[in-house]
Amino acid sequence: MKAVVLCAGFGTRMGRTVKPLLKVAGREIMFRNLKLLQDNGIDEFVVVVNNENRKAIEDFLKRNNFKYRIVVNPHPERGNGYSFYLAKDFVDDRFVLVMGDHVYDEEFVRVALRGDGLICDRNPLYVDIDEATKVLVENGRIKRIGKDLKEWCCVDTGFFILTRDVFKYAEEIIDREEIKLSDIIERSRIKVTEISGLFWMDVDTPEELKKANKLLVRKSYKGRGDGFVSRRINRKISLRLSELLVNRITPNQATLISFLVGIFSAILNLFSIPLAGLVYQISSILDGIDGEIARASLRTSKFGGWLDSVLDRYVDFLFLLTLSFVSNLNNLEWIIACFAMFGSFMVSYTTERYKGAFFSDFYNDFDFKFPGKRDERIFLIFLFCLFSFLGKFVIVTLLALIAVITNLRVVTTIYIVYKNKRFV
Amino acid sequence: MKAVVLCAGFGTRMGRTVKPLLKVAGREIMFRNLKLLQDNGIDEFVVVVNNENRKAIEDFLKRNNFKYRIVVNPHPERGNGYSFYLAKDFVDDRFVLVMGDHVYDEEFVRVALRGDGLICDRNPLYVDIDEATKVLVENGRIKRIGKDLKEWCCVDTGFFILTRDVFKYAEEIIDREEIKLSDIIERSRIKVTEISGLFWMDVDTPEELKKANKLLVRKSYKGRGDGFVSRRINRKISLRLSELLVNRITPNQATLISFLVGIFSAILNLFSIPLAGLVYQISSILDGIDGEIARASLRTSKFGGWLDSVLDRYVDFLFLLTLSFVSNLNNLEWIIACFAMFGSFMVSYTTERYKGAFFSDFYNDFDFKFPGKRDERIFLIFLFCLFSFLGKFVIVTLLALIAVITNLRVVTTIYIVYKNKRFV
């Protein structure tokens, strides 16, 4: 199936920029739409542009290896209906029509593509109703459409699944000076598919762009597998940072930054334990950013997830190692320290090895509430480090606590997997 | 598709036992055949038995939840052709015919099921040619079949893909006192499919049973991911032990035994380091048995693989920990010990986490020759432990060596994955 993307409008309220190429959550609006459509089986794009933005959009399409056909609307002032009409010779019988300046998320595109006709939202969550195009439905088909309808039941999402029949309604009004897409759609009396509660936005102003950015970053956070401290503290901070950073750095850069801050915190132990603990906790907060940015900007990678895990193990090991070293442990206390390091490691190993064995996520398969996750351990270490001035026993107690919690957690994990998966 | 399994013969050369129920590589011959057929889409079995073995075979089929229909041959002395003929009302147009006392491996069954007619082996590797049933082929169809053919080109594997037509050739000779399957097959002039070099055996004597047991255990060893010491030393011993143990213990029991021996070796460090090293190396050899037994007896489980990995980490950690403890390390030497423990851990973590991220095996994807695998580490530890009487510096040198090798290996792993997978 092909998709027609309308990009011939002028982004007047955005200072005459090429709106579809504005970045939201680390990606051009257009990249986001085309990528999501592509992931769902749309393999070619008919992009209607104007003479002004043609070069920028064509460069973009080339750079990102999309399979496209450019259609130039020499009279963009004749309206988006006219732009749509110009695409008629380049589509097959059934095709998708999408506005170039609307932002959708993955779930919206997936669900919308299962629909037919005009995709409407009965309960739009992120749209200014006054500015929205309203739709009146009768017997499952469109009756009226427009911004100023008094009587309406849902809102046009700018996403359509159409057949070529629609173009004949365009031909009926082709002599008009301005042809609105909504006029064509109203005449066609096409079906309406209602979907509700999913993310989509019409980005008309800089404020809406910022809002879309924020919402996409927030929606990238799933919470699965997060510990208590992460849910209550770390994520609240990291999500705000991700909003600011998502258009500026890549996920792998974020991974590297939090790794370097973590290594720095381990070195700091040699100079000031409380300061080291604080920086360690900061690195734990920063550690959330790579994943958030990656998901929000559709840049998740298997390599990124792998590298992040491996580097986290190094940071955790080195922090406990330097902390133990500066605490001048005796032989028996070193045993405790080793159990703390090993236990911390095994918390991750058991669940990661689980994924390698069962090809599903441990935290998806089990609602496992036992404490000892990384965010919780680091927060505990941070708190104890603040009180290190009270003497060596604070650090030894901390190490013993971590040793006990983590190894108990591992034993519990083994028990749960044994109970549920021993015949798998 | 259904399969007819002929079990009405008397295992005279095996002391009148129920041959299909003899165990080879931890499983009854019949379990092996039915399971492999089932794994390849055969969903029902028509099992022809005699009055003597009927109860034993029916109990077996029930116990293992196979979907079956029992057909009793009241005159087994009339031959295997007669047994075959009795199955005629219970099969569909196309079906599999297999001898109840032949042993096949997974690959044989998979390949054979893609064939048509009589499955023949041009180059049987594990069969006594004098005793084998030879086949003469003409234009892709069977011309003659028998034990004493002078002119022949391949050997009957006892595995057939047939259609109901064959029964009409049985009816032509139904009045004979003894009806051989080979007579029916020869008359039918069915197609011949040749496959070569795969594992199958006709088990007629206790010696052949032992040989099949040994071969199936050997074939269970793939070598992928094994280190140098494992290939050259450990596997040679563990495979012999597996041959002896495969009919006696389960894979999980083998996992537990090698774990307990490993833990015991760690405790032994408190008493005698050379002895501990020796027992540790023995546990490393025993560690191969669970996987060998599991594969040979078709008992591989995701849980087994997971548990084995987790327990290995505990053994490795505890051995280095007690070794460090008895060596009275100073603060700086403990740092070295921790790097050795951590590095040993990370060798496994990076590759296991790789599987969780990329859903493929690291050692499958890369031909990675860097030393530092578990079998190599343990052998190195074993050697150094023998010389621990020379003084503490031996142990410190060992720990430093392990720390360097393992962590270098991890860094190399990161580099390789970065180079090959950073865009995945």
Side-chain angles (χ1 to χ4, degrees):
Chain A
M1 203 149 72
K2 294 179 187 176
V4 175
V5 187
L6 299 189
C7 304
F10 299 110
T12 39
R13 274 183 293 180
M14 302 283 270
R16 242 184 143 84
T17 52
V18 184
K19 246 192 336 179
L21 299 189
L22 288 176
K23 280 200 181 177
V24 58
R27 295 288 198 178
E28 297 89 349
I29 293 175
M30 196 163 187
F31 179 91
R32 189 169 290 279
N33 292 340
L34 269 50
K35 178 73 164 56
L36 294 179
L37 286 166
Q38 213 175 39
D39 289 348
N40 284 281
I42 308 294
D43 52 2
E44 197 180 326
F45 302 97
V46 179
V47 184
V48 188
V49 299
N50 60 46
N51 274 314
E52 236 174 84
N53 63 21
R54 173 188 182 147
K55 181 163 181 340
I57 288 179
E58 202 161 359
D59 285 350
F60 161 84
L61 291 166
K62 253 184 223 152
R63 198 166 59 241
N64 290 285
N65 290 317
F66 288 113
K67 195 175 165 200
Y68 69 93
R69 178 184 286 273
I70 284 280
V71 177
V72 180
N73 179 352
H75 306 292
E77 69 285 356
R78 289 193 63 191
N80 56 359
Y82 185 65
S83 291
F84 170 62
Y85 176 74
L86 293 176
K88 78 174 193 309
D89 295 332
F90 308 105
V91 294
D92 307 318
D93 187 51
R94 197 174 158 80
F95 62 96
V96 175
L97 168 63
V98 61
M99 301 303 112
D101 58 358
H102 282 40
V103 180
Y104 310 95
D105 78 351
E106 292 171 81
E107 203 185 348
F108 182 98
V109 173
R110 198 172 56 242
V111 173
L113 282 172
R114 281 189 240 128
D116 189 16
L118 170 57
I119 310 298
C120 268
D121 192 342
R122 184 174 278 272
N123 182 28
L125 294 173
Y126 312 105
V127 170
D128 178 0
I129 292 289
D130 291 340
E131 287 290 319
T133 306
K134 289 99 179 167
V135 177
L136 183 62
V137 182
E138 193 179 65
N139 299 326
R141 288 178 180 274
I142 189 167
K143 193 181 178 197
R144 293 211 55 204
I145 181 168
K147 272 198 180 175
D148 308 313
L149 292 193
K150 290 240 162 59
E151 200 189 342
W152 55 275
C153 62
C154 54
V155 166
D156 169 14
T157 64
F159 199 108
F160 307 76
I161 318 283
L162 301 174
T163 58
R164 287 178 55 87
D165 292 342
V166 176
F167 290 112
K168 75 175 182 242
Y169 300 99
E171 270 156 17
E172 290 177 9
I173 55 172
I174 198 65
D175 292 333
R176 291 191 191 169
E177 185 128 332
E178 190 187 350
I179 306 166
K180 286 186 189 158
L181 180 63
S182 53
D183 289 340
I184 301 172
I185 297 297
E186 193 173 279
R187 282 169 172 265
S188 72
R189 300 264 291 130
I190 54 167
K191 280 191 186 162
V192 172
T193 302
E194 278 186 33
I195 63 181
S196 267
L198 300 182
F199 177 86
W200 68 276
M201 277 182 74
D202 177 6
V203 175
D204 274 334
T205 63
E207 290 70 39
E208 282 174 334
L209 191 70
K210 213 171 150 188
K211 186 178 162 193
N213 188 71
K214 178 176 168 168
L215 286 166
L216 282 171
V217 170
R218 302 260 147 162
K219 289 178 75 64
S220 73
Y221 168 54
K222 299 284 178 242
R224 194 187 68 195
D226 266 13
F228 181 82
V229 175
S230 184
R231 285 195 307 276
R232 297 303 174 92
I233 301 172
N234 298 3
R235 289 293 181 184
K236 297 195 193 238
I237 304 169
S238 67
L239 281 167
R240 268 165 218 270
L241 291 170
S242 291
E243 276 171 44
L244 296 173
L245 295 171
V246 67
N247 290 317
R248 292 180 176 83
I249 62 174
T250 68
N252 284 345
Q253 285 167 347
T255 301
L256 206 65
I257 291 169
S258 80
F259 172 66
L260 292 176
V261 174
I263 295 293
F264 179 61
S265 75
I267 297 169
L268 271 182
N269 266 325
L270 305 175
F271 307 101
S272 159
I273 293 179
L275 190 60
L278 177 68
V279 176
Y280 191 28
Q281 167 60 21
I282 290 173
S283 84
S284 173
I285 293 169
L286 298 180
D287 188 41
I289 294 177
D290 50 7
E292 293 162 10
I293 289 184
R295 283 184 294 274
S297 64
L298 308 176
R299 277 194 176 92
T300 51
S301 78
K302 292 169 179 175
F303 174 74
W306 180 82
L307 184 67
D308 188 32
S309 291
V310 170
L311 296 184
D312 280 355
R313 301 292 82 71
Y314 266 98
V315 169
D316 292 352
F317 165 67
L318 288 174
F319 191 92
L320 288 180
L321 187 72
T322 53
L323 183 63
S324 304
F325 178 70
V326 295
S327 302
N328 261 309
L329 303 180
N330 64 33
N331 225 8
L332 258 174
E333 289 162 347
W334 266 110
I335 296 261
I336 297 171
C338 286
F339 266 102
M341 290 175 214
F342 179 72
S344 303
F345 202 123
M346 284 302 281
V347 166
S348 173
Y349 185 83
T350 44
T351 51
E352 296 300 351
R353 183 65 178 75
Y354 181 93
K355 204 186 260 171
F358 299 100
F359 296 118
S360 65
D361 194 287
F362 179 80
Y363 297 107
N364 238 2
D365 291 357
F366 305 108
D367 184 26
F368 190 54
K369 293 258 188 283
F370 205 95
K373 290 211 55 132
R374 182 167 199 253
D375 55 304
E376 297 162 344
R377 295 195 311 264
I378 293 180
F379 194 71
L380 191 74
I381 293 171
F382 162 53
L383 292 181
F384 272 74
C385 282
L386 291 183
F387 293 95
S388 63
F389 65 89
L390 293 172
K392 177 179 159 183
F393 77 95
V394 175
I395 301 304
V396 175
T397 309
L398 169 66
L399 292 171
L401 213 55
I402 292 178
V404 170
I405 292 173
T406 53
N407 285 286
L408 271 182
R409 186 186 164 97
V410 170
V411 171
T412 314
T413 304
I414 294 175
Y415 175 73
I416 285 180
V417 177
Y418 170 75
K419 228 181 121 183
N420 293 284
K421 295 281 187 173
R422 68 180 178 279
F423 300 121
V424 178
Chain B
M1 200 148 74
K2 294 179 187 176
V4 175
V5 187
L6 298 189
C7 304
F10 298 109
T12 40
R13 274 184 293 181
M14 301 283 271
R16 239 182 146 85
T17 52
V18 184
K19 245 191 339 179
L21 298 190
L22 288 176
K23 282 199 179 177
V24 57
R27 295 288 199 178
E28 296 90 351
I29 292 175
M30 194 164 189
F31 179 91
R32 189 169 288 281
N33 291 340
L34 268 51
K35 178 73 165 55
L36 294 179
L37 286 166
Q38 214 175 40
D39 289 349
N40 284 282
I42 308 294
D43 53 2
E44 197 181 327
F45 302 96
V46 179
V47 184
V48 188
V49 299
N50 59 45
N51 274 314
E52 237 174 83
N53 64 20
R54 172 188 183 147
K55 185 167 177 336
I57 288 179
E58 201 162 359
D59 284 352
F60 161 84
L61 291 165
K62 253 186 220 150
R63 198 166 59 241
N64 289 287
N65 290 316
F66 288 114
K67 195 175 164 200
Y68 69 92
R69 177 184 287 273
I70 285 280
V71 177
V72 180
N73 179 354
H75 306 292
E77 70 284 356
R78 290 193 63 191
N80 56 0
Y82 185 64
S83 291
F84 171 62
Y85 176 73
L86 293 175
K88 78 174 195 310
D89 295 333
F90 308 106
V91 293
D92 306 319
D93 187 53
R94 197 174 158 80
F95 62 97
V96 175
L97 168 64
V98 61
M99 302 302 111
D101 57 359
H102 281 40
V103 180
Y104 309 95
D105 78 350
E106 292 171 81
E107 205 187 346
F108 181 98
V109 174
R110 198 172 57 244
V111 173
L113 282 173
R114 280 190 241 127
D116 190 13
L118 169 58
I119 310 299
C120 268
D121 192 342
R122 184 174 277 273
N123 181 27
L125 295 174
Y126 312 108
V127 170
D128 177 1
I129 292 289
D130 291 339
E131 287 290 319
T133 306
K134 288 99 178 164
V135 178
L136 183 63
V137 181
E138 193 179 67
N139 297 328
R141 288 178 180 274
I142 187 166
K143 191 178 179 196
R144 292 210 57 202
I145 180 169
K147 273 198 180 176
D148 309 314
L149 292 194
K150 290 237 163 64
E151 201 190 342
W152 56 275
C153 61
C154 54
V155 166
D156 169 12
T157 65
F159 199 108
F160 307 76
I161 318 283
L162 301 174
T163 58
R164 285 178 57 87
D165 294 340
V166 177
F167 290 112
K168 74 176 183 245
Y169 300 99
E171 269 156 17
E172 290 176 9
I173 54 172
I174 197 67
D175 292 333
R176 291 190 191 168
E177 186 129 332
E178 191 188 349
I179 306 167
K180 284 187 189 159
L181 181 62
S182 53
D183 290 339
I184 302 173
I185 296 297
E186 192 173 275
R187 284 169 170 264
S188 73
R189 299 262 293 129
I190 54 167
K191 281 192 186 160
V192 172
T193 302
E194 279 185 32
I195 63 182
S196 269
L198 300 181
F199 177 85
W200 68 277
M201 277 182 73
D202 177 4
V203 175
D204 274 333
T205 62
E207 290 68 40
E208 282 174 335
L209 190 71
K210 214 172 149 187
K211 185 176 163 196
N213 188 73
K214 179 175 167 168
L215 286 166
L216 281 170
V217 169
R218 301 261 147 162
K219 288 178 73 65
S220 75
Y221 168 55
K222 300 284 178 239
R224 196 186 66 196
D226 266 13
F228 180 82
V229 175
S230 185
R231 284 196 307 274
R232 297 302 174 93
I233 301 172
N234 297 2
R235 288 292 180 186
K236 298 196 192 236
I237 304 170
S238 66
L239 281 167
R240 269 164 217 269
L241 291 170
S242 291
E243 276 172 43
L244 297 173
L245 294 171
V246 66
N247 290 317
R248 291 179 176 83
I249 62 173
T250 68
N252 284 344
Q253 285 167 348
T255 301
L256 205 65
I257 290 170
S258 81
F259 171 66
L260 291 177
V261 173
I263 296 293
F264 179 62
S265 74
I267 296 170
L268 272 182
N269 265 326
L270 304 176
F271 306 103
S272 159
I273 293 180
L275 190 61
L278 177 67
V279 176
Y280 191 28
Q281 168 60 21
I282 291 173
S283 84
S284 174
I285 293 170
L286 298 180
D287 189 40
I289 294 177
D290 49 7
E292 292 163 10
I293 289 184
R295 283 185 293 272
S297 64
L298 309 176
R299 277 195 176 91
T300 50
S301 79
K302 292 171 178 173
F303 173 74
W306 180 82
L307 184 68
D308 187 33
S309 291
V310 170
L311 296 183
D312 281 354
R313 300 293 83 70
Y314 266 99
V315 169
D316 291 351
F317 166 66
L318 288 174
F319 191 92
L320 288 180
L321 188 71
T322 52
L323 183 63
S324 304
F325 178 70
V326 296
S327 303
N328 262 309
L329 304 180
N330 65 31
N331 226 7
L332 259 174
E333 289 162 348
W334 266 110
I335 297 260
I336 297 171
C338 285
F339 267 102
M341 291 176 214
F342 179 72
S344 303
F345 202 124
M346 284 302 281
V347 166
S348 173
Y349 186 84
T350 43
T351 51
E352 296 298 351
R353 182 67 178 77
Y354 181 93
K355 204 187 259 171
F358 300 99
F359 297 117
S360 65
D361 195 288
F362 179 80
Y363 297 108
N364 238 2
D365 291 356
F366 305 108
D367 185 25
F368 189 54
K369 293 256 189 282
F370 205 95
K373 292 211 55 131
R374 184 166 196 254
D375 56 302
E376 296 162 343
R377 295 195 311 264
I378 294 180
F379 194 72
L380 190 74
I381 292 171
F382 161 55
L383 292 180
F384 272 74
C385 283
L386 292 182
F387 295 94
S388 63
F389 65 88
L390 293 174
K392 177 179 157 181
F393 78 94
V394 175
I395 301 302
V396 175
T397 308
L398 169 66
L399 291 171
L401 212 56
I402 293 179
V404 170
I405 293 173
T406 55
N407 284 288
L408 271 183
R409 184 184 165 98
V410 170
V411 171
T412 314
T413 304
I414 294 175
Y415 175 73
I416 285 180
V417 177
Y418 170 76
K419 226 180 124 185
N420 293 284
K421 295 279 189 175
R422 67 181 179 280
F423 300 120
V424 179

